[in-house]
Amino acid sequence: MVTDQSGYEHLIQFLTEHLTLFTEDGTELANGKTVGVILEERIAEQIIALCTQHTELEMNHRSMIIREVDGIMYDFQEVLSSVLEKKATVEQAELINEIALLIKNLFDSAIARLMD
């Protein structure tokens, strides 16, 4: 659905181009959440929004999306494995939020193609 598309490859490349952000000092989030927690929360929020917006999705489509999201989470956790347990900075949270929005956009496009 999305992980086999060039947009997903660009997204992974975007993350790897910004990996230095995860080695730099920054302002820690006030809530003390880790990079891993922020990643899970932001992607979950976007997928919930996606499914809420696309009421026309059938159960098999939703299941396909969940399987893809599991794969995406695995990929991102692999790339960020060395920093998942570190407290997130504001800058890292902003990047993760941007990536989560891009993931939602990939799914929005895939759903539009699917429903045509």
Side-chain angles (χ1 to χ4, degrees), residues 58-105:
E58 297 175 9
M59 186 56 80
N60 63 328
H61 297 136
R62 292 175 191 271
S63 295
M64 190 182 331
I65 290 168
I66 297 303
R67 282 192 301 275
E68 290 254 336
V69 170
D70 283 345
I72 291 168
M73 284 301 300
Y74 178 81
D75 291 346
F76 280 78
Q77 287 172 337
E78 283 293 307
V79 172
L80 297 172
S81 62
S82 65
V83 296
L84 286 175
E85 297 303 319
K86 293 185 179 181
K87 290 186 179 181
T89 66
V90 171
E91 299 81 9
Q92 292 165 350
E94 288 171 359
L95 178 67
I96 291 169
N97 191 54
E98 185 174 349
I99 287 170
L101 289 168
L102 291 170
I103 289 169
K104 182 184 180 293
N105 288 343

Side-chain angles (χ1 to χ4, degrees), residues 17-77:
E17 288 171 358
H18 291 86
L19 279 179
T20 56
L21 183 64
F22 293 93
T23 60
E24 297 171 352
D25 290 334
T27 307
E28 284 187 8
L29 292 175
N31 60 20
K33 292 183 179 179
T34 65
V35 170
V37 168
I38 296 295
L39 181 66
E40 289 174 8
E41 287 180 352
R42 296 301 187 275
I43 291 176
E45 289 167 0
Q46 292 306 314
I47 298 307
I48 290 168
L50 177 85
C51 290
T52 302
Q53 289 173 329
H54 294 281
T55 57
E56 73 279 11
L57 289 173
E58 297 175 9
M59 186 56 80
N60 63 328
H61 297 136
R62 292 175 191 271
S63 295
M64 190 182 331
I65 290 168
I66 297 303
R67 282 192 301 275
E68 290 254 336
V69 170
D70 283 345
I72 291 168
M73 284 301 300
Y74 178 81
D75 291 346
F76 280 78
Q77 287 172 337

